[in-house]
Amino acid sequence: TGASSNIDGASNTAAIVNEHGADSAANVCAVFEVDSQGNTPCEAGNTCYSDWFMPAVDQLDTLYSNRAAVGGFAAARYWSSSESDVSLAWHNEFTTGTEFLAPKSEVHRLRCVRSFTP
């Protein structure tokens, strides 16, 4: 799909959704929204945050490094939006911080994020 950036999960997410649409993990993030009161979907009258994306591998590393401050992570593997080729993508093992390439057919966790700089 061309989702090869290690630093720009938003562009990777857009590329994946453009290629695979609703049948992609990236689409889960692309359509996610939550409002200022924690409601999903957003309710009228609240600020709505709908600019979510699947993090690139370097962004995922930053999340791992700050996992205690961010919170809500399991000791499990999380997918990034960074692809290596047509069948492999990067993920991060959140027990060790180790990056792995894995077949896209494997089942791992997904953490949607909003814009930040790693």
Side-chain angles (χ1 to χ4, degrees):
T1 65
S4 59
S5 176
N6 290 340
I7 60 170
D8 188 354
S11 68
N12 285 348
T13 298
I16 295 166
V17 171
N18 285 339
E19 181 76 21
H20 298 289
D23 293 332
S24 66
N27 194 60
V28 171
C29 295
V31 301
F32 183 71
E33 62 179 37
V34 63
D35 68 25
S36 56
Q37 301 304 308
N39 301 305
T40 185
C42 296
E43 293 183 1
N46 296 330
T47 302
C48 186
Y49 305 102
S50 59
D51 55 345
W52 298 86
F53 59 89
M54 193 173 173
V57 68
D58 287 356
Q59 292 169 317
L60 197 57
D61 289 342
T62 299
L63 288 171
Y64 174 78
S65 297
N66 294 284
R67 67 194 178 283
V70 174
F73 289 100
R77 293 179 179 182
Y78 286 84
W79 280 115
S80 82
S81 60
S82 302
E83 299 175 331
S84 172
D85 62 33
V86 69
S87 63
L88 299 172
W90 288 97
H91 67 274
N92 186 304
E93 172 61 63
F94 266 60
T95 56
T96 63
T98 306
E99 296 174 356
F100 294 95
L101 274 174
K104 294 176 188 178
S105 59
E106 288 186 7
V107 176
H108 298 296
R109 291 179 179 253
L110 175 66
R111 180 73 176 249
C112 301
V113 297
R114 294 179 67 226
S115 184
F116 70 97
T117 303

